Amino acid sequence: MSQSNKLLVDARGLSCPGPITELVKAYRNAKNGDIIEVWATDPGFEPDIKAWISRTGNQLVELRKEQDRIVAVIRVTAKK
Amino acid sequence: MVKKVVILGGGTGGALLANKLPRDEFEVTIVDKQEYHHFLPALLYIAFRGYRKPIKRGIKTLLKPWVNFIPSGARAVNLYDRYVELENGKRLNYDYLVIATGATMDYSKVPGLDKVVEQFGNYHSTEENAWKVWNSLNSMGSGTLVIGLTYERYRCPPSPLEGVFLAEEYFRMRGIRDKVRIVYITFYPKPYPAEGINEIVEPLLKERGIEYLTLFMVDHVDPEKRVIYFMEGEEIKYDVFIPIPPHAGADIKYTPEDVLDSDRFVKADKFTNRVQGFDDAFVIGDASALPVAKTGVTAHLQADVVAKLLMGETAANTGRTHCPFDVGYGLGTFVISDFRNPALRFPVGKLPHLFKVAFMASYWDMILYPELWDPIFNAYFSATEPSKLRVFYG
Ligand SMILES: Cc1cc2nc3c(=O)[nH]c(=O)nc-3n(C[C@H](O)[C@H](O)[C@H](O)COP(=O)(O)OP(=O)(O)OC[C@H]3O[C@@H](n4cnc5c(N)ncnc54)[C@H](O)[C@@H]3O)c2cc1C
């Protein structure tokens, strides 16, 4: 059984579309079952990540706003 | 004492920087694996217009007479011991190093892409590949043309959509627009990743009947069946596919290795362009891993900052972009932004297109005579600062 990985994408300080670019880079190398956690500061990231999830069919485990960042935890489930 | 500066790459950033450094303070050497400097923005016009003017010049002819030029690839850089190793094994020592090696194509990141490029070309690598695009478009009488992003790193953010708009204009001119379906693919949520510009270009795409697939990430391509496969299992069939290929950094071995990111771009400080962890090494232009647009304007402005820092002055990048964006029919917009201001909504008109044409005509002169052009650029950049233009196009 292959092990699932946890990947952290630190896109803090990057303006839109930086966080999505970094997420896609991580997603390219991920496999189903992996968890990708993205940290971003750009407010545009929130609508972007929702659109990304609804289009790709991956799972948004958590989307939370902390004092200094937006954190999105994604489970990769939709890769063919 | 005269300082030894080695610059890797004699493209836009490297050549400009070399010509800015005063001869009495610096001994400057440019190392480039090619004898020629290419004006890359012209690849767009070769690919979609069959542009025939020469787009390259000998690097030596673009440098001040006192700048040394070594026509050789660099194969290794040791940042601890301050040397560059050339292809023949010879070592060059430096007091300051500037990496300006641009970006190269890495088709292997998307399986099947190398064959697609062999067949249809692309307009981000070589003159030969740009001519292939022109021939591919010419041989199309009907069918589906797909243009789009295949990977997360590429040069010149407007250029993918510029190609789409110019292709649309070309098919209309040929009177076969109704027979050709044009599809643009991108992994971003919107056709153009920056909101201000997207608000300008998305309506234009709709108006011109160009389809677009957003949030589509290319997985691989089957060049025999002519199908692009996306990561979530969808596919699209094409007759001609012009990919914006994956870009990567130059094939140079760095010590320490961790100054490179996973795509071989060099990590740096976004304000000073100093290579991460080193005071005496800089990276400018497309070669850097910085999350700023890979454009000639960026390379140019970073060369200004690094020249000043080398001369002991205070200087810092503002993250300024100023890219003319051709939308066909003699019209265009500008992508204008900086670290503090997201891209403006610059309305479509004739000015950006004329700016692009004027820029193409004066490019070589600007590289060779920065002392004449800098005052003009400084005045222009200052007059068009995003914070000032925001009032009109915010
Ligand atoms: C279609 C298209 C349209 C564009 N339009 C615009 C535009 O409108 N406005 C704009 O500002 N920018 C535009 N650009 C982008 C612009 O051309 C680049 O951003 C710019 O050339 C970057 O300059 P550079 O000095 O970083 O790299 P380059 O100009 O690419 O120079 C890099 C140099 O390094 C050399 N080199 C590489 N590896 C080695 C090695 N190992 N050893 C020695 N030498 C090496 C290469 O031979 C090359 O000469 C466009 C690009 C394309 C493709």
Side-chain angles (χ1 to χ4, degrees):
Chain A
M1 214 179 81
S2 70
Q3 239 189 323
S4 58
N5 297 310
K6 195 170 170 185
L7 304 153
L8 176 67
V9 174
D10 185 355
R12 283 175 301 173
L14 299 187
S15 58
C16 173
I20 283 287
T21 313
E22 294 305 308
L23 166 62
V24 174
K25 265 170 74 181
Y27 184 63
R28 183 175 291 282
N29 300 318
K31 55 185 187 323
N32 286 334
D34 286 356
I35 298 280
I36 304 178
E37 180 167 326
V38 190
W39 296 350
T41 41
D42 189 281
F45 178 65
E46 208 179 318
D48 281 359
I49 191 66
K50 286 182 180 157
W52 190 86
I53 289 290
S54 93
R55 178 16 238 142
T56 61
N58 288 287
Q59 196 187 335
L60 187 59
V61 179
E62 199 182 354
L63 180 63
R64 64 173 192 270
K65 273 192 196 157
E66 292 182 357
Q67 210 177 10
D68 58 343
R69 65 189 160 188
I70 303 165
V71 177
V73 182
I74 297 150
R75 178 171 292 118
V76 179
T77 52
K79 277 187 104 172
K80 286 279 149 41
Chain B
M1 215 179 71
V2 171
K3 310 242 174 41
K4 268 192 193 176
V5 179
V6 171
I7 302 177
L8 299 183
T12 305
L16 201 61
L17 175 63
N19 288 339
K20 278 171 178 276
L21 294 175
R23 64 195 295 191
D24 50 341
E25 283 180 56
F26 299 98
E27 184 198 314
V28 182
T29 303
I30 284 211
V31 176
D32 200 303
K33 62 177 183 182
Q34 307 184 75
E35 299 254 1
Y36 293 96
H37 175 126
H38 289 79
F39 178 60
L40 298 172
L43 296 181
L44 178 76
Y45 294 100
I46 293 178
F48 296 95
R49 288 279 176 278
Y51 179 84
R52 290 201 171 272
K53 289 202 182 129
I55 72 156
K56 62 178 187 185
R57 294 245 178 126
I59 292 179
K60 189 77 193 139
T61 70
L62 289 170
L63 299 176
K64 301 283 189 199
W66 53 89
V67 174
N68 306 310
F69 175 53
I70 302 180
S72 160
R75 69 178 184 202
V77 169
N78 189 316
L79 293 162
Y80 292 130
D81 297 337
R82 293 193 189 182
Y83 69 81
V84 169
E85 192 176 290
L86 302 181
E87 261 159 8
N88 62 7
K90 203 181 150 205
R91 288 181 178 184
L92 298 177
N93 296 308
Y94 61 78
D95 295 309
Y96 292 106
L97 174 71
V98 182
I99 301 153
T101 41
T104 179
M105 305 302 115
D106 183 355
Y107 304 126
S108 72
K109 294 198 159 155
V110 177
L113 207 58
D114 50 350
K115 295 257 163 44
V116 173
V117 172
E118 214 177 291
Q119 218 176 347
F120 304 116
N122 65 41
Y123 55 105
H124 284 77
S125 53
T126 61
E127 227 178 312
E128 193 195 345
N129 279 333
W131 279 112
K132 269 193 193 165
V133 174
W134 177 241
N135 294 334
S136 306
L137 296 188
N138 274 282
S139 60
M140 253 189 116
S142 61
T144 301
L145 167 71
V146 178
I147 300 182
L149 304 178
T150 60
Y151 190 72
E152 300 76 64
R153 296 309 251 300
Y154 58 99
R155 273 198 206 106
C156 187
S159 63
L161 275 168
E162 287 185 293
V164 172
F165 283 121
L166 294 185
E168 196 277 338
E169 183 191 359
Y170 165 79
F171 288 124
R172 193 169 297 279
M173 297 293 176
R174 270 183 54 199
I176 57 164
R177 176 64 186 95
D178 52 340
K179 298 202 180 87
V180 182
R181 178 181 170 217
I182 304 175
V183 184
Y184 178 61
I185 53 173
T186 173
F187 59 87
Y188 287 122
K190 304 267 173 64
Y192 194 85
E195 188 49 37
I197 296 296
N198 188 62
E199 282 176 26
I200 302 282
V201 298
E202 197 169 355
L204 270 186
L205 290 168
K206 288 190 177 139
E207 199 180 298
R208 296 185 191 171
I210 298 166
E211 294 170 47
Y212 48 88
L213 300 176
T214 54
L215 293 163
F216 272 69
M217 291 160 281
V218 175
D219 185 73
H220 67 283
V221 191
D222 185 331
E224 257 82 63
K225 291 193 194 146
R226 299 199 181 188
V227 177
I228 305 166
Y229 295 91
F230 298 97
M231 285 182 194
E232 284 76 38
E234 303 97 333
E235 48 187 73
I236 182 168
K237 237 185 130 12
Y238 61 84
D239 295 284
V240 170
F241 177 28
I242 311 297
I244 313 307
H247 287 50
D251 187 15
I252 296 175
K253 185 183 173 333
Y254 280 89
T255 307
E257 282 173 13
D258 66 1
V259 294
L260 295 184
D261 75 0
S262 55
D263 292 318
R264 308 194 59 78
F265 291 110
V266 182
K267 297 179 202 163
D269 176 76
K270 78 174 187 177
F271 296 112
T272 62
N273 286 89
R274 282 198 163 86
V275 174
Q276 189 178 285
F278 293 86
D279 275 350
D280 50 6
F282 299 82
V283 56
I284 58 172
D286 295 354
S288 93
L290 290 169
V292 292
K294 294 196 183 305
T295 71
V297 176
T298 307
H300 182 155
L301 293 173
Q302 291 177 341
D304 281 352
V305 166
V306 171
K308 287 193 179 120
L309 293 174
L310 289 176
M311 288 187 264
E313 296 170 27
T314 315
N317 292 314
T318 60
R320 180 70 191 272
T321 62
H322 196 103
C323 296
F325 183 150
D326 205 326
V327 299
Y329 304 96
L331 300 169
T333 175
F334 277 118
V335 181
I336 300 178
S337 62
D338 60 23
F339 287 146
R340 287 158 184 253
N341 297 278
L344 304 175
R345 288 161 190 79
F346 197 91
V348 167
K350 287 191 177 142
L351 186 74
H353 178 77
L354 291 175
F355 181 94
K356 200 147 175 153
V357 174
F359 182 75
M360 279 167 81
S362 38
Y363 178 75
W364 306 111
D365 210 50
M366 283 169 350
I367 296 285
L368 191 49
Y369 304 109
E371 67 280 15
L372 301 180
W373 286 90
D374 273 358
I376 299 171
F377 273 122
N378 291 344
Y380 179 79
F381 282 133
S382 157
T384 55
E385 257 175 33
S387 56
K388 291 179 186 158
L389 294 185
R390 260 235 100 75
V391 182
F392 308 106
Y393 312 123

